[in-house]
């Protein structure tokens, strides 16, 4: 009897184990239709407009000390900034930079950038790149990581180089040139 109970227990245990699903599995990149990885260079201008009747970036939070801080520490801004082919405001629109940036440095001006670069034109229409990193706006050229993407940029990784083209120190309005280098499939 004990042998038949043991066999019965083993049978039901193996049946239960077979029915349990795993939350992971290894798969081949070809199963997702991923072809050869390529490196792309994107060049565009980011228009961050804080002034006027239709700003593209607005303050959404600040700390009590923000207005007395030389670096505006604690200021958080939400953006829906146009990305264009050229630096002119009426240049061809190729996408939007949508996300937040916050003043994260207490002793030097440093921004935490969390942006989706959402493309609306051409080959990459409907695709996005995700930028997450430190932006030191007083540096001539800033490097920030590209940590992912969607659409044509699925599995993306790379970096963005940002260089201020123009800035209005009274209003804070800025046009920034971006060169983005990204690996993707």
């Amino acid at each position: 009897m004990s042998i038949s109970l043991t066999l019965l227990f083993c049978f039901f245990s193996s049946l239960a184990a077979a029915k349990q699903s795993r939350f992971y599995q290894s798969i081949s990149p070809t199963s997702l239709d991923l072809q050869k990885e390529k490196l792309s260079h994107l060049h565009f201008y980011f228009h961050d407009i804080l002034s006027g009747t239709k700003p593209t970036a607005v303050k959404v939070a600040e700390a009590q000390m923000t207005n007395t801080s030389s670096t505006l520490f604690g200021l958080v801004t939400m953006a829906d900034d146009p990305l264009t082919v050229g630096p002119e405001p009426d240049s061809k629109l190729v996408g939007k930079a949508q996300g937040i940036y916050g003043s994260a440095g207490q002793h030097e001006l440093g921004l935490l950038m969390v942006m989706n670069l959402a493309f609306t034109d051409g080959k990459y229409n409907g695709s996005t790149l995700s930028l997450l990193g430190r932006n030191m706006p007083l540096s001539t050229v800033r490097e920030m990581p590209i940590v992912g993407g969607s659409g044509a940029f699925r599995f993306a990784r790379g970096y963005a180089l940002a260089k201020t083209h123009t800035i209005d120190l009274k209003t804070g309005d800025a046009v920034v040139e971006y060169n983005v280098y990204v690996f993707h499939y």
Side-chain angles (χ1 to χ4, degrees):
M1 169 124 168
S2 84
I3 293 177
S4 39
L5 282 177
T6 304
L7 287 172
L8 205 56
F9 176 76
C10 288
F11 173 75
F12 284 115
S13 294
S14 64
L15 192 61
K19 289 191 176 198
Q20 289 180 350
S21 61
R22 294 182 300 172
F23 73 94
Y24 69 92
Q25 67 179 358
S26 296
I27 62 172
S28 166
T30 57
S31 70
L32 294 176
D33 198 30
L34 299 177
Q35 304 301 318
K36 185 178 178 188
E37 189 175 45
K38 54 189 159 268
L39 174 64
S40 294
H41 171 222
L42 291 85
H43 178 258
F44 51 83
Y45 291 84
F46 173 106
H47 298 259
D48 195 46
I49 309 303
L50 304 171
S51 67
T53 58
K54 293 185 177 183
T56 62
V58 295
K59 175 174 63 175
V60 294
E62 66 180 37
Q64 282 185 329
M65 67 178 287
T66 297
N67 291 326
T68 59
S69 167
S70 63
T71 63
L72 298 174
F73 180 67
L75 177 67
V76 178
T77 302
M78 183 69 66
D80 185 18
D81 290 340
L83 302 176
T84 63
V85 171
E88 305 80 16
D90 60 350
S91 182
K92 181 179 180 180
L93 184 71
V94 294
K96 295 284 194 128
Q98 298 173 322
I100 61 172
Y101 57 88
S103 184
Q106 291 187 53
H107 305 292
E108 60 184 351
L109 185 59
L111 304 176
L112 166 65
M113 302 281 289
V114 182
M115 290 283 169
N116 285 312
L117 305 174
F119 299 99
T120 58
D121 187 66
K123 179 178 181 178
Y124 300 122
N125 182 21
S127 298
T128 67
L129 288 171
S130 298
L131 181 146
L132 171 65
R134 184 179 190 215
N135 182 352
M136 302 300 288
L138 299 180
S139 298
T140 304
V141 178
R142 289 87 69 191
E143 182 176 326
M144 294 166 280
I146 299 295
V147 298
S150 68
F153 295 120
R154 215 174 273 151
F155 291 105
R157 67 191 190 290
Y159 65 97
L161 296 176
K163 182 178 180 183
T164 302
H165 181 266
T166 58
I167 187 164
D168 183 325
L169 295 176
K170 289 182 184 174
T171 64
D173 294 353
V175 176
V176 181
E177 180 180 17
Y178 271 74
N179 281 286
V180 178
Y181 299 89
V182 62
F183 281 106
H184 62 102
Y185 289 92

